[in-house]
Amino acid sequence: MKKIFIDGKSGTTGLRIAERLAGRKDIEIITLSEEERKNPAAKKRATEESDVTFLCLPDDAAREAVSACENPDTVIIDASTAHRTEPGWLYGFPEIYKDFEARVRGAKRIAVPGCHACGFIALIKPLVDAGIVDKNAELCCTSVTGYSGGGKKMIAEYEDAARDPLLNFPRQYGLNQSHKHLKEMRAVTGLNNAPAFSPIVAPFYSGMCVTVPLFKKDITGGAADIEKVYSELYRGNIVRLKNLSENGFISAGALAGKDGMQVSVFGCEERILLAARYDNLGKGASGAAIECLNYVLSVKPETGLCL
């Protein structure tokens, strides 16, 4: 039985990881008291005693936790932004790598993708790899997400009965085009340019839909070629090609509470629209972390996930 430690268990990502792992018989959760979980020495000890540690922490705290761990056998799965493009870290999106199972065998450091980033990467990396989208392409991306992605402070703001009335409407942010996910969106896809990115937070708890428009004149091939690439790559139970349109609409909340992802291709002859739908706390955070754990433990990738 493998020992698992969740550092940052009280946050939204940590809580859902704990919920998903609660009924499993193949692992033992290392728990700390309220006093111990704020004690660096106690957390270091728990990390080094574990076979796998999840880090659900702010970036600086995640870096400190990694630096403090002296057990070379402990696998660290980091859900923060800190290590997603760092050398020596495996990017934790199994479906975009045909050899992920081989890669994870010797991996001791795994970075969980960002919630917005994983939708963009799921849509674009396979097309760059296939030569349909050029590495020099200048793309746009829109992402609608539930407010839980903003953490405890944002959740409290949205769930306050006396909240600002403006919170009752979708709000675009990242207006200065320096969103923290842009670095991995460019690096992991292999693009030379980060996309023009428009994230939008909406007044629902969780769920997400990422869309990327393409002009036919700017790509090699068409919608059928894109669908063929997706269908050949996304054959598992977690990421699937599916027609997401519900009477001409796409609901960003349709997979709320789930850990899978659906991708789809829309548009016309001149303009193609790519869409990825999932839960920002599922495949966009906790679900992705647990999927990585399953690969580390050599069990079915969907073990313990809600699909």
Side-chain angles (χ1 to χ4, degrees):
M1 183 175 291
K2 300 295 184 179
K3 293 184 177 181
I4 309 297
F5 175 52
I6 307 171
D7 192 352
K9 190 176 179 180
S10 62
T12 51
T13 300
L15 283 171
R16 185 172 286 195
I17 289 174
E19 289 171 3
R20 293 286 192 264
L21 296 180
R24 290 181 59 161
K25 307 298 183 184
D26 58 333
I27 62 172
E28 173 189 343
I29 302 293
I30 298 174
T31 58
L32 300 179
S33 66
E34 186 67 21
E35 296 76 19
E36 287 179 319
R37 74 180 185 84
K38 297 178 182 179
N39 184 319
K43 295 201 298 180
K44 171 180 164 64
R45 183 179 67 252
T47 298
E48 293 177 346
E49 288 177 358
S50 74
D51 294 290
V52 181
T53 284
F54 291 101
L55 300 182
C56 306
L57 304 168
D59 288 1
D60 287 343
R63 293 186 186 97
E64 291 175 7
V66 172
S67 297
C69 179
E70 298 181 274
N71 183 350
D73 295 323
T74 296
V75 175
I76 294 179
I77 301 176
D78 182 14
S80 81
T81 312
H83 299 102
R84 290 172 184 161
T85 58
E86 290 296 305
W89 284 75
L90 176 63
Y91 193 72
F93 198 151
E95 291 80 8
I96 62 172
Y97 300 110
K98 294 180 180 179
D99 61 345
F100 187 85
E101 196 167 352
R103 292 186 185 211
V104 84
R105 287 194 192 110
K108 298 299 181 183
R109 300 290 182 264
I110 303 171
V112 179
C115 57
H116 295 290
C118 69
F120 179 78
I121 289 166
L123 297 171
I124 297 302
K125 177 175 169 49
L127 306 187
V128 173
D129 291 346
I132 293 174
V133 171
D134 189 88
K135 290 184 178 182
N136 293 314
E138 296 178 340
L139 302 178
C140 296
C141 175
T142 300
S143 181
V144 180
T145 183
Y147 59 78
S148 58
K152 287 184 175 180
K153 182 179 179 181
M154 183 172 284
I155 292 171
E157 289 174 348
Y158 271 88
E159 297 185 350
D160 185 346
R163 65 182 177 271
D164 186 330
L166 291 178
L167 272 64
N168 295 326
F169 305 93
R171 296 186 299 159
Q172 188 166 327
Y173 65 105
L175 304 178
N176 60 2
Q177 288 299 305
S178 60
H179 193 282
K180 64 181 181 179
H181 290 179
L182 285 172
K183 186 176 180 180
E184 65 187 285
M185 291 164 80
R186 182 193 59 76
V188 178
T189 57
L191 291 170
N192 292 325
N193 307 294
F197 181 42
S198 300
I200 299 168
V201 61
F204 55 89
Y205 183 75
S206 70
M208 178 169 276
C209 186
V210 174
T211 55
V212 179
L214 299 173
F215 284 96
K216 175 67 171 63
K217 65 181 180 64
D218 294 330
I219 64 175
T220 301
D225 300 290
I226 294 173
E227 288 189 343
K228 185 174 186 293
V229 169
Y230 290 163
S231 64
E232 291 177 353
L233 185 62
Y234 299 137
R235 292 182 171 182
N237 295 323
I238 298 174
V239 181
R240 295 181 176 181
L241 175 66
K242 183 177 181 180
N243 184 352
L244 308 185
S245 179
E246 298 107 4
N247 298 318
F249 294 86
I250 303 176
S251 171
L255 290 185
K258 305 292 186 179
D259 296 312
M261 175 186 285
Q262 299 167 339
V263 299
S264 193
V265 183
F266 300 106
C268 60
E269 187 174 340
E270 296 84 13
R271 298 176 302 282
I272 297 170
L273 184 68
L274 311 177
R277 180 167 67 184
Y278 49 104
D279 186 349
N280 57 289
L281 295 181
K283 183 61 172 170
S286 307
I290 293 171
E291 184 183 358
C292 290
L293 170 70
N294 291 336
Y295 274 92
V296 170
L297 301 183
S298 298
V299 300
K300 291 183 178 180
E302 61 269 26
T303 301
L305 298 180
C306 182
L307 300 172

